[in-house]
Amino acid sequence: MRSYLADWQFWAILAAMFAALTAIFGKVGVEKVDPNFATLIRTVVILVFISGLVLATRTYQPMGTIPARTYLFLVLSGVATGASWICYYTALKLGPASRVAPVDKLSVVFVAILSVLFLGERLAPKDWFAVSLIAGGTILLAMKR
């Protein structure tokens, strides 16, 4: 029997569960602090946590072995992550987590579109239908009541 640890679906479900906790904990945590400062605290925690994980699992590698293109895209990803977190925490400060988090998941729709445009990935018609359902559901959740 194959291990769940080797399946991307297992890790994606865990990521979604942790993202849900991020919204709940973040909503409570940002109540009495500026969203930018909350993002800084969160980032420091992540830096310490991931540093410990890399050291414990010995998955570090010499910096010189990483190609410049990899650095470029990791830096761009880091900037995009920081911008996303700042916007997310600001949205959580201003709105209900039950509506902010689903709108944030429009990233699924954007990833589908951008992966086709820039990565050359192909989505089947059923995949586009699923993406449109996500978009439609997000719009319904975001509409004022």
Side-chain angles (χ1 to χ4, degrees):
M1 176 162 49
R2 220 172 122 194
S3 169
Y4 286 121
L5 298 178
D7 290 334
W8 68 263
Q9 294 96 334
F10 171 78
W11 292 102
I13 289 169
L14 276 181
M17 291 187 332
F18 284 118
L21 291 174
T22 297
I24 301 304
F25 296 156
K27 177 64 177 175
V28 175
V30 79
E31 283 177 359
K32 295 184 169 111
V33 67
D34 178 83
N36 294 335
F37 192 67
T39 302
L40 174 64
I41 293 168
R42 177 185 179 186
T43 303
V44 170
V45 169
I46 292 168
L47 178 64
V48 170
F49 176 76
I50 296 299
S51 295
L53 179 66
V54 167
L55 288 172
T57 59
R58 299 176 188 224
T59 52
Y60 48 84
Q61 66 186 80
M63 301 297 271
T65 64
I66 300 170
R69 183 175 191 271
T70 300
Y71 275 118
L72 171 66
F73 282 97
L74 289 176
V75 167
L76 290 173
S77 176
V79 170
T81 297
S84 173
W85 289 354
I86 288 167
C87 295
Y88 188 69
Y89 268 46
T90 301
L92 279 176
K93 179 91 175 181
L94 300 172
S98 61
R99 293 170 78 189
V100 169
V103 172
D104 176 63
K105 297 310 173 226
L106 270 178
S107 61
V108 173
V109 175
F110 298 141
V111 167
I113 294 167
L114 294 173
S115 68
V116 168
L117 293 175
F118 296 109
L119 300 177
E121 295 182 6
R122 296 197 178 277
L123 275 71
K126 74 167 182 63
D127 300 327
W128 284 115
F129 179 68
V131 168
S132 69
L133 288 175
I134 294 168
T138 302
I139 291 166
L140 287 174
L141 281 167
M143 288 176 15
K144 292 196 182 245
R145 295 181 175 123

